[in-house]
Amino acid sequence: MTETGSRVDPANPGTVLTPDEHSSAWRRMRLWSAAHAVDDLYQGLVPACVPYFVLDRHYSYVAAGGLTLAATLGSSIPQPFIGVAVDRYRLDWLAGAGVTLAGIGLGLSGLVHTYVAVWLLLCASGFGVAMFHPAAGKSARVAAGESATAMSIFAAGGSVGFFLAPVLATPALIAMGVGATALFIPPAVLMGFLLYRNRLPRPAARRVSDHGPDRWVPFLVLTCIETVRSVAFFGAITFIELFWIRHLGAGRSLAGAALAAFLVGGVLGTLLGGRIADRVGMVRTVQLGAVVAVPALVGLRFTPGEYPPLLLAVLAGIALNIPFAVLVKLGQDYLPARPGTAAGVTLGLAVSIGGLIAPVLGVAAEAWGPQGVFTIICLIPLVALVLGLFLTEPQK
């Protein structure tokens, strides 16, 4: 803060922002957070809609799994390559185009009747998600500067969207069947328009912090940590309702409340992680998340009763997501010349790999039940903790 009330631009310490410019930067940050929520809404809608394709279209379980795979493949594999393109060319428009494609693909999937058409539309929706993350991650970093708190607002938007997906979709799907997917097209089109209208001027769009050379070794370690975190997260959201129903003996409503509690904890943890990182450093925050995740998950796994574990579900969601936004920002700090590539990997590829590995936990569930899956999940953060010991703070 200067004597005149202006603020130093965190992305460019030699630049002073007026109060109006600083306020504008935070408005952009809120826009990117809202856009992230809308984009990841469509990721969350796929698993929410798949059971209704089974009920309405009489798809087999294998075919249902194929729909989830279509969306995951569309969103995971292209993201690093799109990130490279975003870093090389001025492709900030990809974020708006991506969220629009994600919504249209998902929205039309319930209106077509052949399995191949549904599969292709969900794959296209996933590709829209892949288009969004690298461009949005790069632009959000420009607005956030060096603030992990600001970056956590962007990351938390994705957690909010994922949480809202079943909340919004389930009543509509029950009332209208899979054709209700068409109701989710307008938010994507509106957000795509807003992002296009609010693109940064050309000089600002290129202004990204650059502190030294790219450091690929710690970035690869970080990617492994995000993959491990994602495996635990997707494993939990996949099996937490079955854990409540089949192990704790609860009803479906309470099981749904457990999932909601875990996802709300995820939003809180993402926001909390950014604030912690601004105070104690990003590497320590990543390590802290791994440390606190173990007792939170153990408590969730072994606390008896239907209601007491709900608090542990919130705490486990918080703990697993404390590192989320920090890993995104830290990845961009390790690759200062490639923020789009870094975002494509940390927000896209690593997260999607966690979803792809979730079926492996299904094998464990077949053998030992959902409680066996949560026993395994309790151990997963230990891997992240060991990997976290090899991280170093980025060069300034």
Side-chain angles (χ1 to χ4, degrees):
M1 180 77 72
T2 67
E3 294 180 0
T4 61
S6 299
R7 296 175 182 266
V8 174
D9 182 353
N12 294 275
T15 303
V16 175
L17 297 178
T18 67
D20 286 344
E21 289 173 331
H22 185 264
S23 176
S24 176
W26 277 97
R27 283 197 300 270
R28 291 196 301 271
M29 204 70 242
R30 289 191 290 268
L31 174 63
W32 283 117
S33 178
H36 199 186
V38 174
D39 180 79
D40 282 18
L41 171 70
Y42 298 106
Q43 279 192 299
L45 283 173
V46 174
C49 293
V50 163
Y52 294 89
F53 278 104
V54 174
L55 295 173
D56 291 5
R57 304 287 177 78
H58 306 292
Y59 291 164
S60 67
Y61 291 131
V62 173
L67 297 182
T68 302
L69 180 64
T72 303
L73 289 176
S75 64
S76 60
I77 296 175
Q79 286 206 47
F81 303 101
I82 294 174
V84 171
V86 166
D87 289 329
R88 183 168 298 180
Y89 309 105
R90 186 171 184 253
L91 299 176
D92 52 308
W93 56 269
L94 274 180
V99 71
T100 302
L101 177 59
I104 292 176
L106 185 285
L108 294 179
S109 66
L111 303 181
V112 299
H113 295 282
T114 66
Y115 180 81
V116 172
V118 174
W119 196 96
L120 291 174
L121 283 168
L122 290 181
C123 188
S125 179
F127 186 71
V129 171
M131 291 168 61
F132 173 84
H133 279 136
K138 180 178 180 179
S139 297
R141 177 57 192 273
V142 172
E146 298 302 317
S147 171
T149 298
M151 203 63 186
S152 72
I153 294 173
F154 168 70
S159 300
V160 170
F162 210 93
F163 164 73
L164 287 176
V167 174
L168 297 176
T170 301
L173 290 166
I174 290 174
M176 302 174 58
V178 292
T181 57
L183 298 176
F184 296 96
I185 294 177
V189 175
L190 176 60
M191 183 53 69
F193 174 75
L194 290 175
L195 290 180
Y196 182 80
R197 286 291 301 272
N198 287 274
R199 289 180 302 162
L200 289 173
R202 184 177 294 269
R206 289 197 303 263
R207 190 186 65 196
V208 178
S209 178
D210 188 350
H211 298 294
D214 294 331
R215 302 172 62 198
W216 286 100
V217 172
F219 179 77
L220 292 175
V221 174
L222 178 146
T223 301
C224 291
I225 294 174
E226 174 55 30
T227 301
V228 169
R229 189 205 68 85
S230 177
V231 170
F233 179 80
F234 275 95
I237 64 174
T238 301
F239 292 100
I240 192 168
E241 291 188 84
L242 291 172
F243 178 79
W244 246 260
I245 293 170
R246 296 184 177 177
H247 179 64
L248 299 180
R252 293 187 179 186
S253 296
L254 189 58
L259 174 60
F262 181 81
L263 291 173
V264 167
V267 176
L268 297 176
T270 302
L271 294 170
L272 179 62
R275 292 188 175 274
I276 294 173
D278 280 337
R279 286 164 174 78
V280 305
M282 289 184 288
V283 170
R284 288 184 179 179
T285 303
V286 173
Q287 296 168 343
L288 175 66
V291 169
V292 299
V294 174
L297 289 167
V298 169
L300 173 61
R301 165 64 180 86
F302 293 103
T303 298
E306 299 178 13
Y307 292 95
L310 288 174
L311 175 61
L312 277 303
V314 175
L315 295 177
I318 291 173
L320 283 175
N321 281 274
I322 283 176
F324 180 38
V326 181
L327 288 168
V328 175
K329 182 180 182 301
L330 188 58
Q332 292 177 323
D333 287 344
Y334 284 148
L335 303 182
R338 295 175 171 84
T341 302
V345 173
T346 55
L347 283 171
L349 181 62
V351 172
S352 297
I353 289 175
L356 290 173
I357 294 177
V360 178
L361 295 176
V363 177
E366 290 286 347
W368 303 303
Q371 64 271 27
V373 172
F374 272 88
T375 301
I376 296 171
I377 292 174
C378 289
L379 302 175
I380 291 176
L382 295 175
V383 180
L385 179 59
V386 173
L387 291 170
L389 298 176
F390 295 93
L391 294 178
T392 58
E393 290 290 345
Q395 297 174 352
K396 297 297 184 183

